[in-house]
Amino acid sequence: MRRHLTPYLFILPALLPLLVFVFRPLVVTFSLSLFDWNLVSPERVWAGAGNYREILGSGEFWVAVGNTLLYGAGLLLANVAVPVLLAYGIMQVPRRWQAVYRSVLFTPTVISLAVASVIFLWLYNPLIGAFNVGLRALGLDPPAWLSDHRWALWAVVGVTAWKAFGYSFIVYLAGLMAVPGELVEAARVEKAREGQIFRRVVLPLTSATLLYLVVTSLITGVQYSFVPVHMLTGGGPNESSTNLVYLTYQYAFQFFRVGEAAAVAILAFSFYLPLILLQALVLERRVHYES
């Protein structure tokens, strides 16, 4: 018995915080979703599945679902595809410059999301913002980034992507450094083009790193989605930039409908977890782990 219990004792220090700070709140949230409660009253009224029916029949919930999907797709492009290509490009520059590029591109990661949102609030300013000033200098008509329903969501994605870009870049750069140099040199001897080397040699050998970046980008992207929405757009205009995280906050702390807020959180979890698992299972079949 001691032999079988010993491994579990070693993982117990990591398991206890997980139980206290992840699984227990999940159970409490589910229990709250079955009641009507205004966050103030000492009594909670049993609602059963009523909160879920109310949420699923709400148009704003499905708008938030669509925005969340678009938000996730934008983050995958900005925090996986772009850092991967840029990391591979930087590996081709002289070594003495690589450290400079790494430092510059990683710097936004250490800035808090609140500070990043304030910076972009100035950059998105329609009159004196750097983006619009630059577009006018090029003779282009700049958009109203935060007050136009066509641009507000992508403006929020830009803040989150800028904040999280450096982490994905450094992680993939580390994966690139683990690629055996002799394989790349052999491909060059065979007169393979850089694009062919990247697709046929580098990507398969860094597929495990890519899988990690895809999964973590979606997970951390959801965690990062509240602050820029709250500080830049408040979910507007016309709910064009709201998402499931911000909708949960609105129901709980603006409308004081805690049961429905908990129902939104549980529904988001029930949609999101299978997506992550399916993504991991599908991509796992294409991952190469070097022996």
Side-chain angles (χ1 to χ4, degrees):
M1 180 180 292
R2 189 181 327 134
R3 185 173 66 252
H4 288 297
L5 287 178
T6 298
Y8 295 98
L9 292 177
F10 279 109
I11 67 172
L12 188 61
L15 186 60
L16 282 177
L18 195 65
L19 291 173
V20 173
F21 297 108
V22 177
F23 292 107
R24 180 181 174 276
L26 186 61
V27 172
V28 171
T29 301
F30 177 72
S31 67
L32 283 175
S33 71
L34 303 177
F35 291 88
D36 282 332
W37 185 41
N38 62 7
L39 202 62
V40 178
S41 173
E43 296 183 1
R44 302 176 185 178
V45 180
W46 173 260
N51 288 330
Y52 290 93
R53 287 194 296 268
E54 183 73 22
I55 292 300
L56 291 173
S58 169
E60 62 184 356
F61 172 75
W62 294 109
V63 170
V65 170
N67 288 341
T68 303
L69 292 175
L70 289 175
Y71 178 85
L75 280 185
L76 281 181
L77 177 63
N79 284 346
V80 178
V82 175
V84 164
L85 294 174
L86 194 54
Y88 184 72
I90 286 177
M91 288 291 290
Q92 316 308 315
V93 305
R95 186 174 296 272
R96 66 178 180 274
W97 288 104
Q98 290 182 16
V100 176
Y101 288 120
R102 287 199 302 267
S103 300
V104 170
L105 292 173
F106 186 73
T107 298
T109 306
V110 302
I111 298 175
S112 72
L113 261 177
V115 173
S117 299
V118 171
I119 292 172
F120 273 80
L121 192 61
W122 171 74
L123 292 174
Y124 289 141
N125 187 288
L127 298 178
I128 61 171
F131 291 153
N132 284 7
V133 170
L135 290 174
R136 290 193 194 96
L138 295 174
L140 301 175
D141 186 22
W145 299 98
L146 302 178
S147 57
D148 189 333
H149 69 277
R150 297 169 298 179
W151 290 97
L153 177 64
W154 304 115
V156 172
V157 171
V159 179
T160 309
W162 183 75
K163 157 70 177 170
F165 174 89
Y167 176 78
S168 299
F169 168 75
I170 288 295
V171 169
Y172 192 73
L173 197 61
L176 283 176
M177 291 178 177
V179 174
E182 57 270 19
L183 295 180
V184 176
E185 290 302 322
R188 288 191 175 125
V189 168
E190 295 295 329
K191 300 187 184 303
R193 295 188 296 272
E194 286 297 327
Q196 293 174 319
I197 294 173
F198 181 68
R199 292 195 311 271
R200 304 294 184 182
V201 179
V202 174
L203 280 183
L205 292 177
T206 57
S207 55
T209 306
L210 278 174
L211 174 61
Y212 171 78
L213 288 180
V214 169
V215 175
T216 55
S217 291
L218 287 179
I219 293 174
T220 57
V222 171
Q223 296 174 348
Y224 287 166
S225 65
F226 173 77
V227 174
V229 171
H230 186 59
M231 294 188 65
L232 297 181
T233 65
N238 298 325
E239 300 176 354
S240 61
S241 63
T242 192
N243 53 48
L244 291 174
V245 175
Y246 194 72
L247 188 65
T248 303
Y249 162 79
Q250 286 182 309
Y251 270 110
F253 301 108
Q254 291 184 356
F255 309 146
F256 295 100
R257 294 154 62 180
V258 177
E260 293 177 19
V264 172
I266 293 297
L267 288 172
F269 178 77
S270 65
F271 292 162
Y272 196 71
L273 183 61
L275 178 63
I276 293 293
L277 293 177
L278 178 64
Q279 171 186 263
L281 290 174
V282 170
L283 293 179
E284 182 74 20
R285 299 176 183 175
R286 305 181 65 86
V287 168
H288 167 78
Y289 293 99
E290 187 177 2
S291 59

